[in-house]
Amino acid sequence: MKKRVILLLSVTALVASCKEGAKQTENPLMQKFETPFQAPPFDKIKLADYKPAFEEGMKQHKAEIEAIVNNPEAPTFENTIVAFDQSGKLLNRTSAIFFNLCEAVTSDDMLALAMEISPAVTAHGDEINMNPKLFARIKTLYDKKESLGLDPLALRTLEKYYDDFVRGGANLNDEDKAKMMKINGELAKLSLQYGNNLLKETNAFTLVIDDAKDLEGLPDNAIASAAAEAKNRGMEGKWVFTVQKPSMLPFLTYAKKRDLREKLYKGYYMRANNDNANDNKAVLAQMVNLRTEKAKLLGFDTYAAYVIDVNMAKTPEAVHAFLERVWTPALKVAKQELAEMQKIANKEGMREKLESWDWWYYAEKLRKQKYDLDESEMMPYLKLENVRDGMFEVANKLYGITLEKRTDIPLYHPEVETYEVKDVDGSSLGILYLDYFTRASKSAGAWMTEFRHYTKENGKEEMPLVSVVYNFSPAVGDAPVLLTWDDTETMFHEFGHALHGFFTRGDYQRIAGTIPHDMVELPSQVMENWASEPEVLKMYAKHYQTGEPMPDALIKKIQESGHFNQGFATVEYVAASLLDMDWYSQTEPQQFDVNAFEKASMDKYGLIKEILPRYRSTYFSHIFDGGYSAGYYVYLWAEVLDADAFQAFKASGDIYNKELAAKFRKYILSEGGYDDPMGQYVKFRGQQPSEEPLLMKRGLK
């Protein structure tokens, strides 16, 4: 057949075909990666390589799907489900690299390419999800699944794929399929636009200080970082503060100038809400309406009902009930915290009522008053490298793994570090990329992603390439990077996600490492518990100048202050979760006044004016362009699990209990997608989780 096609080509077409083949062989994305661990050759990949790789990846994937649907043999698990599970390799690889870098090292050209590529990739996925012949083969197998003699994992894979296709629109009529594809394409573009607007707004706002008197109260490291930022921007001799949290939070916590705290905080909470070219109000309103339409097409009353249907919670009503059980005691505690802070402010001569931009400043004063503890006292003991080595050591003590620095892996940015992760028997579990510092090309926040998932095909395993991205303040001059306590917990948190990636196992990609959204934060959040344990602190919290471990008196203060400001922390989080639920509880598309909607939502629950939701709508990336739509509640839901899980270690008398660690690794981290999620948790814990440890941990009971 191939020779016959070539003979029919004109000379011009043949030359063009040869040129195209040459391009493909020159494109590093379309070749086998001749690098250690077959890691992406970032040093060779150019922006121009992505589009051809996407196009070829989609072409190959379509051919693989056509081979499945046109197979003259009757559908079998092997020729349909396994074949589908193993399809799309080039497309998946290219997508993982491109879209991950769009978050970590983006540019205007890259974002423009993403706006072009994303709708095409979305449409490609929709064509597959709504392919009637492919779905017919899957449905044939699903309808007689009990008689196929499948083992439990194969059966679960079949069931999950069937559900995926139904939720993707496979059962819709042709007219509704066309509507669904249009909706998904528009959402893909709007999601990118939302994130792009937010990145531009975050980078655009600065607080420039040219009078040293305005720095009163700030710790030396915050002043030095602001001076370095000013120098980088060509404003040497001044100080620049941004709305990136490593820059903003020290200012809000320590700066004595109230009007400047207000200015900086308003710059933060008004992002993408300034009626300019980067405004997100119209964008997010469109997204809400489109997702509402999508849910209605699929037979759900609301988008929240559609999302939560496959989560542990099952229904929006269960989520609301859970959030409100925490909201009531948390709001009561937050009001008590506010009253205590107002007393301090009044005593210092302030006549006004506290505002939202005052909270961090007076909370720090209250912490100092109650516990004789402030953030700057802890930071000298939280050198970045020591915290990193500490979390590595915790993983070693729990699971026996080791991490070995590599200098031969191509990097996408010179600040990135790479480590080979090795199991207790010395076998390789994959590569960890650590990307620590803020930069204008990086989205805000912290996250774990993968350039390659764990896969197993024909008995051969391919180990993951896991990337963890942070946004810490970079070093200034010869000074080391000292972390805040929140930074420290974030390091442990994202590393927990990474461990989930490294320990994932399974014969089928669909269920390997795949757990419900409201369980996915369990592997990460449980790791935070070790960060504050006294014996763990003794191990990694060492003074950056003397090398002395953190003194017992300071550790005791940290322990005693564990419940401090938890009313605020819980209320701002739950407020954001309730706002998320309200956006996605619409039963019909409508015209939105975004700010009025948000205010009405928060007023309904009785949120006090001194606390804003952790994320306001125009910069709520989690729920608009981050995959957590109708799902921001999952962090607290998973915290019930993580508090209960860590309680098992504490109750055993050994926080490194290897038997419990082995069970957690097996049933949650490795095999979490193998069965009902609560069943998997019970296999580890021996019982269902209790909310009691969570409420006690947060000081709400």
Side-chain angles (χ1 to χ4, degrees), residues 58 62 65-66 119-135 165 168 170 177 181 184:
M58 288 187 280
K62 284 179 182 177
I65 299 303
E66 286 301 307
V121 174
T122 300
H124 169 77
D126 282 341
E127 288 173 8
I128 292 172
N129 288 335
M130 299 181 203
N131 185 313
K133 292 181 180 179
L134 179 59
F135 181 59
F165 273 77
K177 282 181 180 178
M181 291 184 73
N184 287 342

Side-chain angles (χ1 to χ4, degrees), residues 524-540:
S524 55
Q525 290 180 183
V526 76
M527 281 299 292
E528 293 182 39
N529 290 280
W530 275 275
S532 59
E533 280 296 299
E535 63 183 281
V536 180
L537 280 166
K538 282 285 188 184
M539 182 173 67
Y540 75 82

Side-chain angles (χ1 to χ4, degrees), residues 477-659:
D478 295 330
V481 176
L482 302 178
L483 303 181
T484 65
W485 184 248
D486 183 64
D487 291 339
T488 300
E489 290 187 319
T490 298
M491 274 201 88
F492 274 76
H493 177 104
E494 299 303 337
F495 185 58
H497 280 308
L499 291 177
H500 185 199
F502 289 120
F503 291 154
T504 286
R505 292 293 178 271
D507 292 342
Y508 311 109
Q509 288 193 57
R510 177 58 186 85
I511 62 171
T514 305
I515 57 181
H517 217 166
D518 45 13
M519 193 183 190
V520 80
E521 294 299 329
L522 168 59
S524 55
Q525 290 180 183
V526 76
M527 281 299 292
E528 293 182 39
N529 290 280
W530 275 275
S532 59
E533 280 296 299
E535 63 183 281
V536 180
L537 280 166
K538 282 285 188 184
M539 182 173 67
Y540 75 82
K542 298 176 181 178
H543 198 282
Y544 77 97
Q545 290 174 317
T546 67
E548 290 295 314
M550 183 178 282
D552 292 335
L554 182 52
I555 291 175
K556 185 180 179 183
K557 289 180 187 179
I558 293 173
Q559 295 291 304
E560 289 175 346
S561 65
H563 294 163
F564 176 70
N565 211 33
Q566 282 299 307
F568 168 81
T570 307
V571 165
E572 67 155 6
Y573 166 81
V574 177
S577 301
L578 291 167
L579 178 61
D580 169 33
M581 292 298 294
D582 282 357
W583 275 122
Y584 292 115
S585 293
Q586 308 307 306
T587 56
E588 296 293 340
Q590 58 189 279
Q591 292 291 319
F592 288 108
D593 179 329
V594 169
N595 289 330
F597 180 94
E598 183 179 294
K599 184 179 186 305
S601 171
M602 295 297 93
D603 287 349
K604 176 175 63 176
Y605 300 111
L607 179 65
I608 56 179
K609 70 177 180 63
E610 296 83 1
I611 300 178
L612 297 182
R614 183 172 294 177
Y615 301 102
R616 296 190 65 207
S617 303
T618 56
Y619 56 89
F620 205 163
S621 278
H622 286 79
I623 71 166
F624 290 112
D625 71 324
Y628 281 73
S629 312
Y632 192 60
Y633 78 91
V634 303
Y635 290 92
L636 194 63
W637 185 279
E639 195 173 340
V640 171
L641 301 176
D642 91 65
D644 184 79
F646 190 67
Q647 180 60 31
F649 285 90
K650 292 284 284 185
S652 77
D654 178 8
I655 62 169
Y656 300 120
N657 187 305
K658 285 187 167 45
E659 182 181 351

